[in-house]
Amino acid sequence: SRRDILVLTLGMLLSQKAWILLNSGKKRQRAYNSVRALYSLATMPAEDWGEYYKSLDQVMVKGKIETAEDEQLVAAWYKIVNFFCDLGNLEKMYIPPLVDPSLGLEENQILIENKMALAAASGAWNATLINGLDETLPRQYKQRYVVHKETGKKSILPAKHNITSPSEYALREMDILELGCGKGRILHDMTMYTGGNGNGINIDRSQLDNAIHFAQSRDLFPHRLNFTHASLNDAYPFENESMDFAYEVGAFTYVIDKLAVFKEIYRVLRPGGAFCYNDWTLLESFDPADENQVSKLLKIKKFSGLIELHNPEELAAVAEEAGFEVIWNGHGGYGAVPTSGLLGNMHHSFRYADSFMQFMVNYGLLPDGLAKGWKLLRDGKGVHILKESMDKKW
């Protein structure tokens, strides 16, 4: 009822301590996102919750995505989970590699995306950051790249850089493609880093609606940011050689045919273009014969949506078969330091929501679908199990 929703909203505002957050635009926006997410979850139709639980039982326990029906259940899972992520500090819906151990989750997201942007222009993953890290980096740091007309070699240029030899170089903004763009927040920042134009595809329409609304609020849709409802497993709605850079963050776990997907990415990239794979993998120390490890992996899958965890060497071989040259293949973060520390940072951001939701669950004040979903997430201890597996280097 409306009264119930009002109680939920007011309670969430109080649990977020919104009265002291008014001095911070960033925190105020986060509090607003949390309240909006709670409202969406509380008013979610029963059939959507039914599809979400169906996805947990039928798809999230699989070793890989096999059919279009599996994909639709993945979309149903994300339709719920994207709002759960907004209850904490996980709007971009991914845990990045640990680039700088002294910084938190959001700052490491900025750094890994910055590395991807530099790789897009230079073709070198370990390129040095030009401007370092700044709180306003997404709006301050823009770049273009130049293409040598004879060799086709690309070079990075900071914004406002003057080309001294225009007869040798052509200056162009990048055309960027993100596979599995979610709510478009990563793609938005990538266009800010590169000064380029972003194109995203995703299978969940509700997240695309959110992405379009966000881009419109910043006057970037559709001239700088565009979003299409499509699967990364189908033919992409783009011309041959129409993109300079493509990337994915956590989407390859839903690939049906790896070779077909790599060939499709290769088709849309211009000569000299690049693709960046940024995803979770199973390490050599994982033992599929160990029942304890397998049991914990299943719990991680239901919590994280990680269905197929690829072997990096096998994936690189498939990419080469599709025509790619593998420039770099390895851990994207700070040496061999695990990313598990960022999980604690992320988990801490849910502390207010957790207190409020537990109070509501204990007194039976949440709608049935939401109460069941929150209990499953909390009681499954997915964060703790995932951190343990990363510390043990599974």
Side-chain angles (χ1 to χ4, degrees):
S1 70
R2 291 184 179 179
R3 177 182 174 278
D4 293 334
I5 300 303
L6 179 61
V7 170
L8 285 170
T9 304
L10 289 175
M12 193 63 187
L13 280 168
L14 291 174
S15 68
Q16 286 283 353
K17 299 186 178 180
W19 63 88
I20 64 169
L21 298 183
L22 295 177
N23 292 324
S24 169
K26 187 175 182 180
K27 291 182 178 179
R28 183 170 64 246
Q29 181 63 42
R30 188 174 300 161
Y32 169 76
N33 289 344
S34 296
V35 173
R36 184 188 59 184
L38 178 61
Y39 178 85
S40 298
L41 289 168
T43 57
M44 191 70 66
E47 53 267 28
D48 289 337
W49 283 108
E51 289 296 292
Y52 168 72
Y53 294 122
K54 185 178 178 181
S55 71
L56 290 179
D57 295 334
Q58 296 185 16
V59 178
M60 295 303 159
V61 295
K62 284 190 170 186
K64 74 183 304 294
I65 293 291
E66 299 171 324
T67 66
E69 289 74 20
D70 288 344
E71 278 193 302
Q72 292 308 308
L73 286 175
V74 168
W77 185 85
Y78 271 105
K79 188 173 185 178
I80 299 292
V81 168
N82 87 88
F83 291 117
F84 276 133
C85 289
D86 275 347
L87 294 178
N89 184 18
L90 205 59
E91 188 177 33
K92 289 184 175 178
M93 300 177 65
Y94 81 102
I95 308 294
L98 186 63
V99 182
D100 188 332
S102 69
L103 300 174
L105 184 141
E106 283 184 295
E107 292 84 359
N108 274 277
Q109 286 177 335
I110 290 173
L111 288 175
I112 200 67
E113 291 159 17
N114 201 268
K115 289 183 73 173
M116 286 197 296
L118 288 166
S122 68
W125 174 253
N126 286 320
T128 303
L129 293 175
I130 294 176
N131 285 6
L133 179 64
D134 187 285
E135 205 172 280
T136 55
L137 180 63
R139 297 197 180 278
Q140 284 189 349
Y141 176 55
K142 297 182 180 181
Q143 66 186 37
R144 301 292 191 273
Y145 71 97
V146 290
V147 180
H148 195 279
K149 291 180 178 178
E150 292 185 4
T151 66
K153 184 176 180 180
K154 294 183 292 186
S155 302
I156 299 171
L157 285 179
K160 301 180 180 179
H161 183 90
N162 294 319
I163 301 174
T164 56
S165 182
S167 61
E168 294 182 21
Y169 290 95
L171 178 64
R172 188 177 71 227
E173 292 183 347
M174 288 186 183
D175 290 306
I176 303 168
L177 171 62
E178 180 179 2
L179 306 176
C181 65
K183 293 180 285 189
R185 302 308 194 265
I186 303 173
L187 186 59
H188 168 271
D189 286 356
M190 288 293 287
T191 63
M192 295 298 101
Y193 301 148
T194 63
N197 306 302
N199 302 273
I201 63 172
N202 202 62
I203 58 172
D204 176 18
R205 289 185 185 273
S206 66
Q207 289 185 81
L208 289 177
D209 290 341
N210 185 300
I212 291 171
H213 176 76
F214 181 82
Q216 286 175 330
S217 71
R218 283 150 179 78
D219 195 28
L220 295 171
F221 178 87
H223 57 286
R224 287 283 304 283
L225 286 172
N226 227 316
F227 301 96
T228 305
H229 181 247
S231 166
L232 82 165
N233 290 300
D234 297 332
Y236 305 151
F238 306 107
E239 299 292 331
N240 294 347
E241 299 181 1
S242 58
M243 300 291 166
D244 299 292
F245 182 61
Y247 68 93
E248 66 82 35
V249 179
F252 251 53
T253 190
Y254 308 117
V255 163
I256 295 175
D257 184 331
K258 290 186 280 291
L259 180 59
V261 169
F262 271 121
K263 285 183 175 179
E264 187 63 7
I265 298 169
Y266 193 88
R267 176 187 71 79
V268 301
L269 286 173
R270 292 186 175 111
F275 171 66
C276 181
Y277 168 89
N278 186 357
D279 225 315
W280 296 79
T281 61
L282 280 176
L283 301 180
E284 293 180 357
S285 54
F286 177 78
D287 182 3
D290 187 324
E291 293 184 1
N292 179 50
Q293 288 190 22
V294 171
S295 174
K296 290 182 176 180
L297 178 60
L298 287 176
K299 291 182 179 180
I300 290 172
K301 286 186 173 188
K302 289 191 174 185
F303 158 75
S304 64
L306 300 174
I307 295 178
E308 183 175 11
L309 296 168
H310 302 286
N311 178 286
E313 286 70 31
E314 291 177 3
L315 205 64
V318 177
E320 290 177 330
E321 186 180 351
F324 283 96
E325 174 191 359
V326 178
I327 297 175
W328 188 84
N329 183 17
H331 189 282
Y334 183 81
V337 178
T339 306
S340 59
L342 295 180
L343 284 172
N345 183 276
M346 179 272 292
H347 190 250
H348 182 69
S349 74
F350 283 82
R351 63 194 183 282
Y352 297 133
D354 182 53
S355 299
F356 172 70
M357 296 290 274
Q358 278 305 110
F359 171 83
M360 300 296 281
V361 167
N362 292 340
Y363 286 91
L365 298 176
L366 288 182
D368 291 342
L370 175 54
K372 179 182 176 182
W374 183 258
K375 288 176 70 175
L376 284 175
L377 280 176
R378 196 173 192 272
D379 297 344
K381 301 186 182 303
V383 173
H384 303 290
I385 297 172
L386 182 57
K387 185 178 186 303
E388 176 190 349
S389 68
M390 293 173 72
D391 289 338
K392 292 182 178 180
K393 298 184 179 181
W394 290 353

